Amino acid sequence: GGLDTDQKRAVLAAMGMAGIDKGEPVEFVGHSQGGIVAADLATDQTLCQDYSVVSALTAGSPIARSVPEGSVRVLALENTRDIVPGLDGANNAPGVVTVHFDGEPYIPEGKEGGKVVAHDIGLYRNALADLQLAEVRAWEEMRSSRMGFSSRTRTTAFVFDTQRVGY
């Protein structure tokens, strides 16, 4: 509905707890509803002024309402066999690099014949690792450069559980 969500507020709180300072480069990544949140964060004008929002990666997410700010690059992966990315009933905004692919070759091992395979995060992970499209490689090179990644880059993973509590 265009309003702030509990998950958006939770991500911002987690960023603060993780020690991400204003002005630092950030990237948002999400699958399904998480991709909607990632795209919403990456296209939030105030957030883009506070942080150096570099990019967003969404997988299997209906994000047509998210319009990226000038320098933010959004890559949207959409399996043509997955109905979820089309639930918004519109094309993604100009500026979003949308990659449509047939997910059949990317079904995770052991999931063959499963009922929800087309939307499986493992399928999207396999596709991203394998897709040799110029658009995907250009996005990866841009984000690596703007995030300051090198062969010496080390990362730390933080895991935050969020839950809605009664009011």
Side-chain angles (χ1 to χ4, degrees):
L3 302 175
D4 276 350
T5 65
D6 291 339
Q7 284 301 308
K8 182 176 178 180
R9 285 188 291 276
V11 169
L12 293 172
M15 289 171 63
M17 289 187 280
I20 299 172
D21 292 323
K22 304 265 180 172
E24 286 192 65
V26 295
E27 171 178 67
F28 298 103
V29 178
H31 168 253
S32 196
Q33 183 179 357
I36 298 169
V37 174
D40 186 39
L41 287 161
T43 59
D44 181 301
Q45 290 180 353
T46 303
L47 188 69
C48 288
Q49 290 171 358
D50 290 344
Y51 296 93
S52 176
V53 179
V54 171
S55 59
L57 170 63
T58 67
S61 306
I63 62 161
R65 292 175 43 107
S66 297
V67 180
E69 292 298 307
S71 65
V72 177
R73 298 292 172 250
V74 178
L75 175 63
L77 299 178
E78 297 184 358
N79 174 10
T80 57
R81 297 172 185 250
D82 183 358
I83 64 167
V84 176
L87 290 176
D88 49 17
N91 291 327
N92 290 338
V96 174
V97 176
T98 304
V99 174
H100 295 103
F101 65 94
D102 181 350
E104 182 69 23
Y106 303 110
I107 295 173
E109 196 170 310
K111 299 270 184 148
E112 298 87 355
K115 294 185 189 253
V116 202
V117 173
H119 191 62
D120 190 280
I121 191 169
L123 180 148
Y124 281 96
R125 188 178 297 120
N126 291 346
L128 182 62
D130 187 60
L131 289 171
Q132 297 297 315
L133 301 172
E135 299 95 327
V136 174
R137 296 298 159 235
W139 179 84
E140 288 177 334
E141 289 172 14
M142 174 281 307
R143 56 134 355 219
S144 291
S145 172
R146 292 186 52 209
M147 291 292 291
F149 295 154
S150 72
S151 61
R152 296 189 333 234
T153 299
R154 299 292 174 256
T155 61
T156 302
F158 296 92
V159 177
F160 297 93
D161 286 326
T162 62
Q163 62 181 324
R164 184 176 292 158
V165 293
Y167 293 94

